[in-house]
Amino acid sequence: MSNIISISNLEKTYKSDSETLTILHDLNLEVENGRKIAIVGESGSGKSTLLNIIGGIDKPTSGSVLAGKWQVESLSEAEISEYRSSFIGLIFQFHYLLKDFTALENVYMPAMIAGKNKKEAIELAKELLDDVGVSDRINHLPSQLSGGERQRVAAARALINNPQLILADEPTGNLDPANAEKIGDLLFSMVEKYNKTLLLVTHDTKLAEKADCCYRIVEGRLQ
């Protein structure tokens, strides 16, 4: 099976006037297509930094990040936009739904931005919202949804452009234990159903145990 992610000698260093802080140090990772990988570690260990670099949100200090055909650290702003809209789906601890738009609009909007016609985008969004269990809430604003419902909508939005890779950063971190378990189960079932690769950062050991493989970041390296 081919690799969807190949990371070599990744370093991320932050410099200020008073100190130099290396978050990721000589980190290497290979992820096969279709695998579900969890990454755990202490707060500040670099879990989210790693996910942000793979997602093109942050730049490494040095090293190589190959995701599919995309050499992520070398992408221009225009290329990063295309990479994010066509290859990856992002789910964060905070849902980042647009507050003035309904659940349905929040989900179909990325598809329209990517070039789908509105009718096709709406139909696909409705299917996904039904899949994640909020078909009766599609016309509600984010403020009218529960925390769990908002994360369900965010999961549907992450899938709308049929990405190959789902990056999930503490997707259950803001939820109570019961909802966290439901959203965790949903995330893995959706990834399985749509045959996606998942890279999940979490502090939730029960959620991490659902993955095919779990790594721990210690002193900037994966173990």
Side-chain angles (χ1 to χ4, degrees):
M1 193 177 288
S2 61
N3 289 333
I4 191 169
I5 299 174
S6 294
I7 297 175
S8 302
N9 310 119
L10 191 69
E11 301 231 357
K12 181 61 180 181
T13 299
Y14 294 96
K15 292 184 178 180
S16 68
D17 292 338
S18 58
E19 63 176 343
T20 298
L21 182 63
T22 299
I23 301 292
L24 302 175
H25 183 69
D26 195 29
L27 185 144
N28 297 279
L29 174 66
E30 293 195 344
V31 178
E32 289 182 342
N33 202 15
R35 298 274 283 171
K36 296 176 277 294
I37 306 297
I39 297 175
V40 299
E42 301 295 326
S43 293
S45 62
K47 305 186 301 295
S48 294
T49 299
L50 174 59
L51 221 63
N52 285 342
I53 289 172
I54 297 169
I57 297 166
D58 201 355
K59 291 270 190 186
T61 305
S62 62
S64 168
V65 180
L66 182 65
K69 68 175 184 177
W70 305 88
Q71 197 66 53
V72 179
E73 79 280 359
S74 302
L75 298 179
S76 67
E77 284 302 313
E79 289 168 334
I80 285 173
S81 294
E82 186 185 350
Y83 167 66
R84 285 197 202 133
S85 68
S86 66
F87 188 77
I88 60 173
L90 295 163
I91 305 172
F92 298 98
Q93 182 171 350
F94 184 73
H95 55 80
Y96 290 112
L97 300 176
L98 299 171
K99 65 183 180 66
D100 295 325
F101 294 86
T102 65
L104 180 62
E105 290 166 337
N106 266 284
V107 175
Y108 77 64
M109 204 176 302
M112 287 186 61
I113 292 170
K116 276 192 172 67
N117 70 62
K118 187 173 183 179
K119 184 179 179 183
E120 184 183 357
I122 289 173
E123 286 308 308
L124 182 56
K126 284 180 177 177
E127 281 180 36
L128 286 167
L129 287 163
D130 186 40
D131 271 357
V132 300
V134 287
S135 58
D136 59 334
R137 312 286 282 168
I138 64 173
N139 294 316
H140 288 65
L141 297 171
S143 60
Q144 299 168 314
L145 302 174
S146 70
E149 287 169 340
R150 288 193 285 263
Q151 282 301 73
R152 288 171 185 269
V153 174
R157 180 184 57 188
L159 289 161
I160 189 73
N161 285 333
N162 195 27
Q164 294 181 48
L165 174 64
I166 300 292
L167 302 176
D169 188 1
E170 298 280 11
T172 63
N174 277 341
L175 303 174
D176 62 81
N179 264 314
E181 187 169 359
K182 288 177 184 174
I183 295 300
D185 288 342
L186 171 75
L187 176 62
F188 277 89
S189 68
M190 294 294 282
V191 166
E192 191 76 36
K193 175 176 180 177
Y194 287 98
N195 194 28
K196 306 301 179 190
T197 303
L198 173 66
L199 194 59
L200 163 74
V201 159
T202 184
H203 67 274
D204 184 339
T205 52
K206 284 179 69 176
L207 183 58
E209 286 169 0
K210 298 177 189 292
D212 300 322
C213 178
C214 182
Y215 293 98
R216 179 175 293 276
I217 291 189
V218 179
E219 295 181 352
R221 294 183 175 90
L222 290 178
Q223 296 183 349

